[in-house]
Amino acid sequence: MTGSTVLIIDFGSQYTQLIARKVRELSVFSVIYPHTITVEQIKEIAPKGIILSGGPMSVKDDGAPAAADGLFSTDIPILGICYGLQLISYSLGGIVEPAQQREYGKTSFRITERENPLFAGIPEEITVWMSHGDVVKTLPYGFRALGSSPSTLNCAAQSDEKPIYGLQFHPEVYHSEYGVEMISNFLFRICGCVAGWNPGAFIEGSIRSIKEQAGDSVAICALSGGVDSTVAAVLVREALGDNLVCVHIDNGLMRKNESETVVKRLREKTGLKITAVDASETFLKELEGVTDPEEKRKIIGSSFIKVFEEEARKIEGVSFLVQGTLYPDVIESVPVNGVSVTIKTHHNVGGLPEKMNFKLIEPFRELFKDEVREIGLALGIPPEIVNRHPFPGPGLAVRVLGEVTAERLELLREADDIFITLVKKHNLYDKVWQAFTVLLPVQTVGVMGDKRTYENVLALRAVTSVDGMTADWFRFPDNFLAEVSNTIINNLEGINRVVYDISSKPPATIEWE
């Protein structure tokens, strides 16, 4: 990578990936490692700076994550955020205690050392976002306070001997005023970073790397039509030319006319060499009688591997598999305390490399979703392709709650088509990160004309987000929701009630299954 690298050490904060994204938005490359990283590993990375994330525990709890031995003896600039500040203080002899008044949400922060480089260009008093139950009562020897809040005296601090800084609040979140400026000051004024992280530099470096990795070999790509696989395919095609073969598999779980549209559009707009396979009957047969969402995902994943394997064997000389794997999928996750929990199984083709002796080409292993979109636009991929809403690997199988049948899939397809068509008609598509419909295994009483009906409930879902890690429900106008409901109920036999999901993530997930 060109430019500088900043290391983010994760102590379990829900905002860790947001820190990484904010650093990259400032054109500095960032990497996330778990709190188990050693000083030897840190030296291998050779970061220009280190940011310690927040975390859910108290530094005084049994089993609380600690800093790597020798971390604070290095000369690498360090910025501790929330738990990070408390960890710095506790590790170096300061006193951390439960706060008399815990702070959550927006709080006033007053800078007491205005000339400090961390606060260059920032007003004396600003509003910041707090989320802590402990406070640093006494700073370690050789540290001084840089600012305070109404309930926290040592709200910002710095070492007198080393470039070690700490903030009790979260500068990375949107609610903290001048948070980006503080991060920028740390990167450029304190760490001396060089900005060099941008789409153009990434594309150039990736093409060179892929050519070196694959040479004249043939690569195959499972092309769903989604943003990640499409941009990955176009990027690899830039490096390998006709030695890239894309395979699009219609699993029968796509939106209305989606497979035909995707293949036609991508052939015309990108020039990719695509083999289209209709395997819908195979998938639907395997899903007969299955209602458990995890079982659905496993069946779809194994069926996909089987079909893809058959198609790959028809292509001579394939040595590499291209995947649109993103950084959130590969960041090493170490539970801060206790056992990690699987939210859901992600559908991918991860079993293929070992099974078929493929080598992997994963150009986006270090990118977030929005960065992939930027790469796509820089590659000349039309915005209507790059800005498509995400679509789950298992497709409509996780939006038909309960058993997946051809009839229920068709009903959902038609309802979904009406919803998305109206979203686009009202110029709302680009304001929403993801919109879709869910067919519930619930029937309710209705009245149509003079007849009593007993039909299905359909849920509408639309969220705003940046990368899907967190999301908020979209505020549609009332008259729009009324139009969607009326259009669906009046045109589709089998649905007599439409509801709108107003849950955010967390606590809910974006998809229902």
Side-chain angles (χ1 to χ4, degrees), residues 6-10 13-26 28 30 32 51-54 79 81 170-173 183 187 368:
V6 167
L7 168 65
I8 298 159
I9 300 180
D10 181 22
S13 171
Q14 60 179 317
Y15 302 130
T16 298
Q17 292 193 28
L18 184 56
I19 300 171
R21 291 171 43 74
K22 292 297 182 184
V23 172
R24 293 191 185 188
E25 286 171 6
L26 292 164
V28 175
S30 61
I32 299 173
I51 299 178
L52 310 181
S53 82
L79 174 64
I81 295 175
H170 290 271
E172 71 274 21
V173 305
I183 295 174
L187 298 180
F368 292 101

Side-chain angles (χ1 to χ4, degrees), residues 106-184:
K106 292 182 179 181
T107 305
S108 174
F109 169 64
R110 183 174 176 274
I111 301 170
T112 54
E113 190 174 301
R114 295 290 307 284
E115 68 277 10
N116 193 283
L118 188 61
F119 302 123
I122 297 173
E124 181 179 0
E125 190 159 337
I126 59 175
T127 299
V128 297
W129 185 263
M130 293 281 199
S131 181
H132 67 100
D134 286 353
V135 294
V136 177
K137 182 179 180 181
T138 305
L139 289 167
Y141 177 78
F143 276 71
R144 67 183 187 276
L146 305 177
S148 63
S149 73
S151 300
T152 306
L153 182 63
N154 299 310
C155 197
Q158 178 192 351
S159 167
D160 293 327
E161 298 180 356
K162 287 184 174 291
I164 300 176
Y165 296 77
L167 299 172
Q168 185 57 70
F169 54 88
H170 290 271
E172 71 274 21
V173 305
Y174 171 78
H175 307 287
S176 286
E177 294 179 335
Y178 297 92
V180 173
E181 286 79 0
M182 290 180 213
I183 295 174
S184 176

Side-chain angles (χ1 to χ4, degrees), residues 67-315:
D69 289 340
L71 174 62
F72 302 122
S73 297
T74 71
D75 291 321
I76 304 170
I78 295 173
L79 174 64
I81 295 175
C82 195
Y83 183 93
L85 167 62
Q86 296 168 12
L87 181 62
I88 291 170
S89 301
Y90 188 68
S91 301
L92 297 178
I95 298 175
V96 177
E97 292 185 349
Q100 292 185 351
Q101 179 66 49
R102 297 185 297 176
E103 292 179 305
Y104 294 98
K106 292 182 179 181
T107 305
S108 174
F109 169 64
R110 183 174 176 274
I111 301 170
T112 54
E113 190 174 301
R114 295 290 307 284
E115 68 277 10
N116 193 283
L118 188 61
F119 302 123
I122 297 173
E124 181 179 0
E125 190 159 337
I126 59 175
T127 299
V128 297
W129 185 263
M130 293 281 199
S131 181
H132 67 100
D134 286 353
V135 294
V136 177
K137 182 179 180 181
T138 305
L139 289 167
Y141 177 78
F143 276 71
R144 67 183 187 276
L146 305 177
S148 63
S149 73
S151 300
T152 306
L153 182 63
N154 299 310
C155 197
Q158 178 192 351
S159 167
D160 293 327
E161 298 180 356
K162 287 184 174 291
I164 300 176
Y165 296 77
L167 299 172
Q168 185 57 70
F169 54 88
H170 290 271
E172 71 274 21
V173 305
Y174 171 78
H175 307 287
S176 286
E177 294 179 335
Y178 297 92
V180 173
E181 286 79 0
M182 290 180 213
I183 295 174
S184 176
N185 286 339
F186 176 71
L187 298 180
F188 300 111
R189 293 176 180 269
I190 296 170
C191 299
C193 288
V194 175
W197 175 250
N198 59 70
F202 176 85
I203 291 170
E204 182 181 337
S206 294
I207 291 174
R208 184 171 56 249
S209 176
I210 293 167
K211 284 181 177 178
E212 292 173 356
Q213 181 184 4
D216 295 327
S217 300
V218 176
I220 188 172
C221 176
L223 189 65
S224 68
V227 176
D228 305 333
S229 64
T230 298
V231 180
V234 172
L235 177 62
V236 173
R237 197 269 313 276
E238 292 291 314
L240 304 184
D242 288 340
N243 279 350
L244 172 68
V245 180
C246 298
V247 177
H248 174 81
I249 297 173
D250 181 359
N251 57 14
L253 305 169
M254 310 290 278
R255 283 172 157 160
K256 185 177 180 179
N257 301 324
E258 183 153 24
S259 278
E260 298 90 333
T261 302
V262 161
V263 172
K264 182 175 185 293
R265 180 190 295 138
L266 292 183
R267 281 174 176 165
E268 292 176 352
K269 301 291 186 179
T270 67
L272 291 170
K273 186 163 59 176
I274 306 172
T275 298
V277 181
D278 184 355
S280 52
E281 291 186 9
T282 298
F283 283 82
L284 289 178
K285 184 176 180 181
E286 293 293 326
L287 288 168
E288 284 181 7
V290 178
T291 59
D292 180 74
E294 272 299 291
E295 188 64 22
K296 288 181 188 177
R297 290 175 180 273
K298 290 176 182 177
I299 289 172
I300 293 166
S302 60
S303 298
F304 185 93
I305 289 174
K306 182 179 179 181
V307 174
F308 190 83
E309 182 182 16
E310 291 173 357
E311 291 303 314
R313 285 175 176 163
K314 298 175 184 178
I315 303 170

